Amino acid sequence: MSEGQIRQSLSGFYDVFSDGKMYRTRARGNFRKRRITPLVGDRVTFESSTPKEGYILEILPRDNSLTRPPVSNIDQGVVVTAVAAPEFSTNLLDRQLIALEVSGIQPVIYFTKADLIEDARYQEFEELAAGYRKIGYQVCLTREPFATAGLDQLKATLADKETVIMGQTGAGKSTLLNHISPELTLATGEISTALNRGRHTTRKVSLMPVAGGLVADTPGFSSYDTLTIDYRELGQYFPEFLALSSGCRFRGCVHVNEPGCAVKDALAAGDLMQSRYDNYLLLLTLLKNQKPIYNKKK
């Protein structure tokens, strides 16, 4: 029996890296019976008679995990967000940030395709980026596509960490990784303007050595899964709200109709981003109205 890390998942096979070698494995049948699905990033015990034949015996405790993309034990998530083509959405960006916050993964925002917009629109994104930096997020926004300064900043961020690259289909995740590590030669796709979404070009989930760290390049998406947290917990995953919540008059304030709300006071004073609060209200309503999910797979 050996220990290793799942580096790739494809069609029911799991490539496990251990002691400098890669082993192709399958999950034991009892995993399916227990509704347990191994994830890329999992630390596992396994047995293997040859590098091409083996079985995963046990998944060791996870530090964290994401459902979409399906990865685990990740240090940080780089949310690749196009400012155009596909159309930019603060709601989608915030939902991705919240998904990372819920899983205890440090978010990083990387804007792409800024060369496609006019100067006035770019100025709006500079203000938006400044707002996210004020919250405490690391943000990369440059006028020229894949500028050296931006790539160097991202390379330094990736070093010695396990990172998931996530974002909407067509945002440029694979193109970004190709610029950082040209030897990867990842497939990229054009945007379908009729559907305003990209064609899926990433067919598998894998952890790849990039810039001194490990990076997961994952399939993109055109929408985002519904969050399953209690609506009363949502404010905990907006760092700027959490920092102010101790100043609210009522314990458990959800920052909507309560008097003496420090979050609403800060919003009225212009100290919070209006788009963040608007998205908070939308998500709060969705969470309050969604039906509970029973028999959810682990």
Side-chain angles (χ1 to χ4, degrees):
M1 184 174 68
S2 304
E3 289 190 12
Q5 181 188 46
I6 297 177
R7 293 285 180 89
Q8 180 171 287
S9 170
L10 179 64
S11 301
F13 289 98
Y14 302 95
D15 292 346
V16 178
F17 186 78
S18 178
D19 294 329
K21 296 181 180 179
M22 199 73 75
Y23 298 85
R24 176 144 292 189
T25 67
R26 285 185 177 272
R28 287 288 194 190
N30 62 1
F31 280 73
R32 181 177 299 176
K33 294 178 181 178
R34 291 184 289 163
R35 295 185 177 182
I36 297 174
T37 302
L39 300 178
V40 169
D42 275 343
R43 295 180 289 268
V44 300
T45 60
F46 70 102
E47 60 182 11
S48 179
S49 56
T50 72
K52 295 185 178 181
E53 295 183 29
Y55 288 94
I56 295 173
L57 305 176
E58 180 186 5
I59 297 174
L60 301 179
R62 292 168 177 162
D63 296 332
N64 53 50
S65 66
L66 289 171
T67 301
R68 192 175 186 181
V71 292
S72 69
N73 301 317
I74 295 296
D75 297 312
Q76 60 188 359
V78 177
V79 182
V80 180
T81 304
V83 302
E87 185 178 353
F88 174 73
S89 165
T90 61
N91 184 271
L92 182 59
L93 172 57
D94 284 339
R95 292 183 70 143
Q96 293 172 82
L97 296 176
I98 293 165
L100 292 171
E101 295 280 4
V102 168
S103 297
I105 298 172
Q106 179 66 41
V108 177
I109 303 170
Y110 193 101
F111 287 107
T112 60
K113 304 188 179 182
D115 59 313
L116 301 181
I117 57 178
E118 300 294 332
D119 289 344
R121 181 63 170 154
Y122 181 76
Q123 180 61 40
E124 293 177 5
F125 275 97
E126 283 195 320
E127 294 173 2
L128 188 73
Y132 280 106
R133 291 190 185 103
K134 182 180 178 181
I135 294 170
Y137 291 120
Q138 180 179 334
V139 181
C140 181
L141 171 67
T142 59
R143 196 69 172 96
E144 297 300 322
F146 309 111
T148 300
L151 292 179
D152 288 345
Q153 177 185 343
L154 186 56
K155 287 178 182 178
T157 300
L158 298 178
D160 300 319
K161 292 184 178 180
E162 295 184 15
T163 305
V164 60
I165 305 291
M166 58 190 292
Q168 190 177 12
T169 299
K173 299 180 299 298
S174 296
T175 302
L176 176 61
L177 285 173
N178 283 337
H179 276 81
I180 295 174
S181 294
E183 70 276 6
L184 294 175
T185 61
L186 299 172
T188 59
E190 296 179 353
I191 298 298
S192 169
T193 54
L195 297 177
N196 192 35
R197 65 188 185 198
R199 301 184 182 92
H200 293 259
T201 54
T202 310
R203 302 297 182 182
K204 61 188 177 184
V205 180
S206 59
L207 276 175
M208 305 169 292
V210 175
L214 290 172
V215 170
D217 179 39
T218 59
F221 50 88
S222 300
S223 61
Y224 208 76
D225 293 338
T226 301
L227 295 167
T228 56
I229 59 174
D230 189 293
Y231 77 92
R232 289 162 292 194
E233 300 174 356
L234 181 61
Q236 300 176 21
Y237 304 111
F238 283 71
E240 68 274 41
F241 294 6
L242 181 60
L244 292 167
S245 60
S246 61
C248 292
R249 183 184 303 175
F250 297 104
R251 185 177 181 181
C253 179
V254 294
H255 321 306
V256 180
N257 295 317
E258 302 91 336
C261 173
V263 170
K264 289 196 297 180
D265 289 345
L267 182 69
D271 295 330
L272 295 179
M273 297 170 65
Q274 184 67 50
S275 62
R276 289 277 286 177
Y277 186 74
D278 292 343
N279 290 333
Y280 170 79
L281 293 180
L282 289 171
L283 291 173
L284 191 74
T285 301
L286 285 174
L287 291 172
K288 289 178 71 174
N289 294 335
Q290 74 182 9
K291 297 179 180 179
I293 299 175
Y294 300 104
N295 299 323
K296 187 178 178 181
K297 291 183 180 181
K298 295 182 181 179

